[in-house]
Amino acid sequence: MGCVAAEEEAAELWAAAHGDLGTLDRFVARRVAGEPLAWITGQTTFCGEVIVVHPGVYVPRWQSEPLAREARRRLAPGGVAVDLCTGAGPIPVALGCRRGFARVIGTDLDPAALACAAANGVEAIRSDLAMALLPALAGGVDLVTGIVPYVPSEELARLPRDVLTHEPLGALDGGSGGTVLLERAVAEAAVLLRPGGSLLLELGGDQADALAPALAGHGFGAIVVARDEDGDVRSLWCRRA
Ligand SMILES: C[S@@+](CC[C@H](N)C(=O)[O-])C[C@H]1O[C@@H](n2cnc3c(N)ncnc32)[C@H](O)[C@@H]1O
């Protein structure tokens, strides 16, 4: 799915208002003030799945769908996956957790995100990245995904005004260079994954290069840097040796 056109937005707001003009007026006012559409309608779609999105929770982006589809290709039925920083839980849902395709554990620090993920049928655990899963799951995980905060702190001010005004900064701020949580994710995934297991991380800019020493140091290889149709780096896929 691409970005939502104005006509589609209007149709979604109308449907969510259930034909009540007063409600529609309030919805339009919120949207004009820059609130994310999904917070107003209460849902979005991701990889063809309806995802409940509570106000205050990061809205899943269609740009993350290729990572989710690659993750699905790499996970066998009955496998075990961990989705770091799961937010509303779109990656576990895309991995088929609602249909019992695999066990997918989502972690997050934000109670609002955890409640939203649970509402989406995701096994969601309060954890600073994977800390609460260690050592119990060490070496027993087939796949780790992470759309961790990766916007460099020094670039936060350049985000679109609506994003800065409404979306939770804790979902975006990746620290200096944006790689603080990415580097931790690499280290913790190395402990979680079985040999041959996959790690898929969303990132951008030159962050794949910045992460190369950490990946090598933690025994990751078969590295693929995935780009979008504009040639911009979007994610990194690799396997634990
Ligand atoms: C960019 S959002 C991604 C959410 C979801 N994966 C998605 O694609 O919609 C990042 C999420 O990471 C969570 N988060 C931030 N720091 C965290 C940490 N140290 N450990 C776990 N979750 C964290 C935020 O609460 C937020 O829900």
Side-chain angles (χ1 to χ4, degrees):
M1 189 187 90
C3 46
V4 182
E7 277 172 30
E8 290 171 39
E9 276 208 15
E12 284 192 40
L13 289 172
W14 178 241
H18 299 295
D20 184 273
L21 287 177
T23 304
L24 182 64
D25 278 349
R26 284 190 293 279
F27 282 178
V28 170
R30 287 169 63 186
R31 187 69 190 116
V32 169
E35 207 175 314
L37 179 66
W39 289 4
I40 302 168
T41 63
Q43 64 180 51
T44 189
T45 56
F46 186 85
C47 289
E49 302 268 3
V50 174
I51 307 291
V52 170
V53 185
H54 295 164
V57 176
Y58 177 89
V59 180
R61 307 295 207 259
W62 60 268
Q63 291 92 333
S64 303
E65 290 184 351
L67 181 153
R69 283 194 287 270
E70 179 64 21
R72 177 67 190 252
R73 273 192 287 276
R74 290 175 181 230
L75 186 62
V80 178
V82 170
D83 180 42
L84 304 172
C85 298
T86 200
I91 304 288
V93 172
L95 289 174
C97 72
R98 292 202 281 226
R99 288 184 288 279
F101 175 79
R103 182 179 183 205
V104 190
I105 304 155
T107 73
D108 209 287
L109 275 179
D110 177 8
L114 291 167
C116 188
N120 281 309
V122 174
E123 179 182 352
I125 291 176
R126 188 175 195 284
S127 174
D128 182 5
L129 293 188
M131 293 309 283
L133 306 178
L134 296 169
L137 286 184
V141 174
D142 302 298
L143 170 77
V144 175
T145 52
I147 303 180
V148 311
Y150 65 91
V151 180
S153 300
E154 52 279 16
E155 290 179 18
L156 282 173
R158 279 192 251 150
L159 287 173
R161 190 202 57 176
D162 287 351
V163 173
L164 268 181
T165 308
H166 293 281
E167 300 222 44
L169 271 190
L172 304 168
D173 188 353
S176 176
T179 53
V180 174
L181 285 164
L182 286 169
E183 291 199 9
R184 275 193 54 206
V186 169
E188 293 177 27
V191 182
L192 283 175
L193 286 167
R194 63 164 171 79
S198 286
L199 169 65
L200 280 68
L201 293 171
E202 186 166 295
L203 40 65
D206 59 2
Q207 290 174 336
D209 294 335
L211 229 49
L215 290 166
H218 287 286
F220 285 99
I223 296 170
V224 177
V225 176
R227 296 172 183 268
D228 62 19
E229 57 277 9
D230 296 324
D232 294 326
V233 171
R234 284 289 176 191
S235 60
L236 180 148
W237 315 336
C238 58
R239 283 189 192 278
R240 184 177 175 282

